[in-house]
Every structure is written in structure tokens, then in C-alpha cells.
Amino acid sequence: MIKKAICLAGGRATRLYPLTQFGISKQLLPVYNKPVISYSLGTLQKMGYSDVLIICADKEQLAMYYNYLGNGAKFGMNFQYKIQDKPNGLPEAFTIAGEWANDADRLALILGDNIFIGDQNLDTVANTIFTYKVKNPNDYGVATLNAENELIDIIEKPQTFIGNDAVVGLYVFTREAVSIAKDLKPSKRGELEIVDLIKALNEKEGVDVCCLHDILWFDVGSFDSLLDCANLVRTIENRSDKKLGLQEI
């Protein structure tokens, strides 16, 4: 089985100004003793993905990532890089990947600012999306499920309560996601929507839902979440023998 993964790590992180005001990527900000991207790539490493395409915003970001990560050899992985010069939505990652993804039996996508801490096994079959119960579901894409935990629908930022199962920034698809992404149309926001890709894939092949019950999930897009995550990592590493994030071989 050929497993490949995409780490989407572009964007300008304007919500984290002035930390990112001078060009540093959000994914290179520190979470205790490692940059943010180390934890998302560490999740892929634990899931058994060694071939990873890192998508960033420009040549300057690419140089910063490469300076830290290189070609991935010291982590027992193979990193390649491409540029998404304009944020046209998450599904564009699959079209940017293009031929690189064509031989993948499983094709994962992780957002480079999403951190998962815990012991739950995330190496699932394709096609799988992951959900996390939140207190503020109107800030996320929310999955509605039937009694058998099967996906019924996903609503982006619902204005009325339909549930609290937020879809997080980790997805495991078949390579069919590449074909579907090419045919997607922009939403009213002017972007390609990941929820539209998931719905189309669910109709064509079926999509499983994995609820994160033994995992803490952080979307480190705010000062508070960045600090909360760093404090948790510090506590875990100082009080146990666990080492979080990407590990060198």
C-alpha cells in the first residue's frame, strides 16, 4: 500500500500579528521547544506516512521550512515542497499535489497548524474524517451523524445548533480526492470548500467518521490556543518520558 500525505502550511496568519508580522510562518512559531509544524508532521509520522508534500505560501516560507526540515531524511521521511501563492481553499492542495499523488492508495491531508496530543490510533482506512466535540460549533464545519455514526451531512459554520461534532484539520482519502478537487466550484466565499469535497467523496465512495475521544486537538490560530498548547506540551514532556512532535531517527 502506498501512503502519501500533504501538509498545508501556507497562509499569512494575520490573526497572530505582530508575531507573524515580519514574514515568519505561523507553523514556525514555537510550541514549547519545537515549532508548530513539528507536531502536525509528527502526527503523520506516527500514522506511518513517510512521503509528505509540504505546501507553503511563497519562496521565503519554503526556504524557512527547508532550513528546519530539509528533505526529511533525519526524520526517516521524504519531504517535498510546493507553493500555493494564493489561498483558494483547502481542496486546492490536492490539485497542487497533482501527479505526485496519483499512485497513492491512501492520501492524507493535515493542516500545519492543527496539533493532536494523545494516544488514540489515527492510522485509519481511507476515506475517513475526524471529529472533535466542541463548545462553539458555529465556528467550525460540523458533521451530522446517524445512530450508526455514519455521515449524513456537513454544514460549514452552522447558525443554528445541529450538533457539536466539529470536523478537524486531518483527513484520510483515496486518490479520488484529486479528481474531485479538480471539478469543484468555488463557494460564495470565493474558495473551494473541503466540506464540498467530503460530500462528493461520500456520495461516490463513502466516508467514515472517527471521533477523537482520547486526543486533545488544538487549532493554534490564536494567542490563547498557542499558549495553552505550549503549556500542555511542557507539562507532558517534563512529567513523563514522552517526547511530542517530529522525532529524529
Side-chain angles (χ1 to χ4, degrees):
M1 177 180 292
I2 298 176
K3 298 168 62 175
K4 292 186 173 182
I6 302 168
C7 180
L8 194 53
R12 303 298 177 183
T14 55
R15 287 188 297 161
L16 287 174
Y17 277 11
L19 295 181
T20 56
Q21 187 171 353
F22 302 104
I24 189 169
S25 166
K26 169 174 53 177
Q27 289 83 3
L28 288 174
L29 293 175
V31 171
Y32 185 44
N33 56 5
K34 297 182 185 72
V36 170
I37 197 171
S38 173
Y39 299 93
S40 53
L41 292 175
T43 294
L44 295 177
Q45 188 181 47
K46 288 176 64 177
M47 292 171 68
Y49 290 87
S50 57
D51 288 318
V52 181
L53 177 66
I54 299 169
I55 297 178
C56 46
D58 52 40
K59 291 181 180 179
E60 289 73 24
Q61 277 192 6
L62 193 156
M64 286 188 284
Y65 286 131
Y66 194 86
N67 185 53
Y68 168 54
L69 298 166
N71 65 5
K74 65 181 177 180
F75 307 105
M77 302 175 77
N78 175 32
F79 296 151
Q80 297 188 42
Y81 301 83
K82 286 194 175 183
I83 290 173
Q84 180 188 35
D85 54 9
K86 184 179 179 182
N88 294 315
L90 304 188
E92 190 177 50
F94 296 106
T95 58
I96 292 173
E99 293 184 1
W100 176 87
N102 281 346
D103 61 347
D105 299 299
R106 292 186 194 172
L107 183 59
L109 172 67
I110 193 167
L111 305 190
D113 59 359
N114 275 225
I115 296 177
F116 302 89
I117 299 175
D119 296 325
Q120 184 175 345
N121 180 19
L122 300 180
D123 186 22
T124 58
V125 299
N127 298 296
T128 300
I129 62 172
F130 299 84
T131 62
Y132 190 87
K133 293 192 180 295
V134 297
K135 293 182 178 179
N136 52 334
N138 57 311
D139 289 339
Y140 303 95
V142 176
T144 55
L145 313 173
N146 63 19
E148 286 72 41
N149 207 44
E150 295 172 333
L151 181 64
I152 299 173
D153 198 5
I154 302 177
I155 306 297
E156 184 67 27
K157 296 181 174 62
Q159 297 305 302
T160 58
F161 183 82
I162 60 171
N164 63 345
D165 293 297
V167 180
V168 305
L170 176 63
Y171 318 87
V172 180
F173 296 140
T174 65
R175 57 178 171 267
E176 186 63 27
V178 178
S179 299
I180 292 174
K182 291 178 182 177
D183 294 332
L184 288 179
K185 304 300 181 185
S187 68
K188 293 179 180 178
R189 299 195 306 163
E191 295 184 5
L192 304 178
E193 302 289 355
I194 191 68
V195 296
D196 292 337
L197 187 149
I198 294 169
K199 290 177 183 179
L201 197 58
N202 191 37
E203 290 179 3
K204 191 165 189 177
E205 297 186 343
V207 172
D208 292 332
V209 179
C210 178
C211 180
L212 301 180
H213 49 78
D214 290 327
I215 292 280
L216 288 173
W217 167 58
F218 293 87
D219 176 359
V220 289
S222 69
F223 300 115
D224 286 341
S225 60
L226 194 64
L227 179 60
D228 288 344
C229 188
N231 285 333
L232 178 62
V233 171
R234 176 181 180 274
T235 300
I236 291 172
E237 293 205 346
N238 285 343
R239 298 190 181 187
S240 72
D241 59 356
K242 291 184 178 180
K243 296 300 179 183
L244 305 180
L246 198 56
Q247 300 298 310
E248 296 187 20
I249 59 172

